[in-house]
PDB file of all heavy atoms in Angstrom:
ATOM      1  N   SER Z  42       8.678  15.821  12.505  1.00 93.00           N
ATOM      2  CA  SER Z  42       8.873  14.365  12.609  1.00 93.00           C
ATOM      3  C   SER Z  42       8.886  13.720  11.169  1.00 93.00           C
ATOM      4  O   SER Z  42       9.737  12.896  10.864  1.00 93.00           O
ATOM      5  CB  SER Z  42       7.899  13.743  13.481  1.00 93.00           C
ATOM      6  OG  SER Z  42       8.099  12.344  13.646  1.00 93.00           O
ATOM      7  N   VAL Z  43       7.925  14.133  10.379  1.00 90.00           N
ATOM      8  CA  VAL Z  43       7.804  13.594   9.000  1.00 90.00           C
ATOM      9  C   VAL Z  43       9.014  13.975   8.171  1.00 90.00           C
ATOM     10  O   VAL Z  43       9.547  13.112   7.474  1.00 90.00           O
ATOM     11  CB  VAL Z  43       6.489  14.092   8.348  1.00 90.00           C
ATOM     12  CG1 VAL Z  43       6.519  13.754   6.854  1.00 90.00           C
ATOM     13  CG2 VAL Z  43       5.318  13.550   9.053  1.00 90.00           C
ATOM     14  N   ILE Z  44       9.464  15.171   8.312  1.00 88.00           N
ATOM     15  CA  ILE Z  44      10.663  15.645   7.545  1.00 88.00           C
ATOM     16  C   ILE Z  44      11.916  14.780   7.937  1.00 88.00           C
ATOM     17  O   ILE Z  44      12.634  14.296   7.070  1.00 88.00           O
ATOM     18  CB  ILE Z  44      11.026  17.119   7.890  1.00 88.00           C
ATOM     19  CG1 ILE Z  44       9.911  18.016   7.188  1.00 88.00           C
ATOM     20  CG2 ILE Z  44      12.335  17.501   7.367  1.00 88.00           C
ATOM     21  CD1 ILE Z  44       9.979  19.512   7.641  1.00 88.00           C
ATOM     22  N   GLU Z  45      12.101  14.544   9.263  1.00 89.00           N
ATOM     23  CA  GLU Z  45      13.283  13.850   9.654  1.00 89.00           C
ATOM     24  C   GLU Z  45      13.077  12.325   9.299  1.00 89.00           C
ATOM     25  O   GLU Z  45      14.108  11.650   8.980  1.00 89.00           O
ATOM     26  CB  GLU Z  45      13.400  13.893  11.218  1.00 89.00           C
ATOM     27  CG  GLU Z  45      13.639  15.354  11.693  1.00 89.00           C
ATOM     28  CD  GLU Z  45      14.914  16.010  11.034  1.00 89.00           C
ATOM     29  OE1 GLU Z  45      15.703  15.336  10.489  1.00 89.00           O
ATOM     30  OE2 GLU Z  45      14.969  17.278  11.050  1.00 89.00           O
ATOM     31  N   LEU Z  46      11.897  11.865   9.270  1.00 89.00           N
ATOM     32  CA  LEU Z  46      11.642  10.427   8.839  1.00 89.00           C
ATOM     33  C   LEU Z  46      11.993  10.304   7.389  1.00 89.00           C
ATOM     34  O   LEU Z  46      12.667   9.347   6.982  1.00 89.00           O
ATOM     35  CB  LEU Z  46      10.167  10.127   9.061  1.00 89.00           C
ATOM     36  CG  LEU Z  46       9.676   8.735   8.523  1.00 89.00           C
ATOM     37  CD1 LEU Z  46      10.485   7.629   9.150  1.00 89.00           C
ATOM     38  CD2 LEU Z  46       8.196   8.598   8.774  1.00 89.00           C
ATOM     39  N   GLU Z  47      11.553  11.294   6.544  1.00 83.00           N
ATOM     40  CA  GLU Z  47      11.877  11.241   5.099  1.00 83.00           C
ATOM     41  C   GLU Z  47      13.365  11.429   4.896  1.00 83.00           C
ATOM     42  O   GLU Z  47      13.940  10.948   3.886  1.00 83.00           O
ATOM     43  CB  GLU Z  47      11.141  12.344   4.447  1.00 83.00           C
ATOM     44  CG  GLU Z  47       9.606  12.111   4.308  1.00 83.00           C
ATOM     45  CD  GLU Z  47       9.231  10.944   3.491  1.00 83.00           C
ATOM     46  OE1 GLU Z  47       9.961  10.695   2.510  1.00 83.00           O
ATOM     47  OE2 GLU Z  47       8.224  10.280   3.815  1.00 83.00           O
ATOM     48  N   SER Z  48      14.030  12.173   5.785  1.00 82.00           N
ATOM     49  CA  SER Z  48      15.487  12.406   5.716  1.00 82.00           C
ATOM     50  C   SER Z  48      16.278  11.260   6.311  1.00 82.00           C
ATOM     51  O   SER Z  48      17.537  11.346   6.428  1.00 82.00           O
ATOM     52  CB  SER Z  48      15.871  13.720   6.311  1.00 82.00           C
ATOM     53  OG  SER Z  48      15.124  14.786   5.768  1.00 82.00           O
ATOM     54  N   ASP Z  49      15.599  10.249   6.809  1.00 82.00           N
ATOM     55  CA  ASP Z  49      16.244   9.082   7.473  1.00 82.00           C
ATOM     56  C   ASP Z  49      16.940   9.435   8.808  1.00 82.00           C
ATOM     57  O   ASP Z  49      17.829   8.674   9.235  1.00 82.00           O
ATOM     58  CB  ASP Z  49      17.250   8.381   6.512  1.00 82.00           C
ATOM     59  CG  ASP Z  49      17.328   6.890   6.807  1.00 82.00           C
ATOM     60  OD1 ASP Z  49      16.340   6.275   7.251  1.00 82.00           O
ATOM     61  OD2 ASP Z  49      18.417   6.377   6.508  1.00 82.00           O
TER      62      ASP Z  49
END
Side-chain angles (χ1 to χ4, degrees):
S42 182
V43 169
I44 289 169
E45 299 305 339
L46 174 59
E47 292 293 327
S48 304
D49 209 30

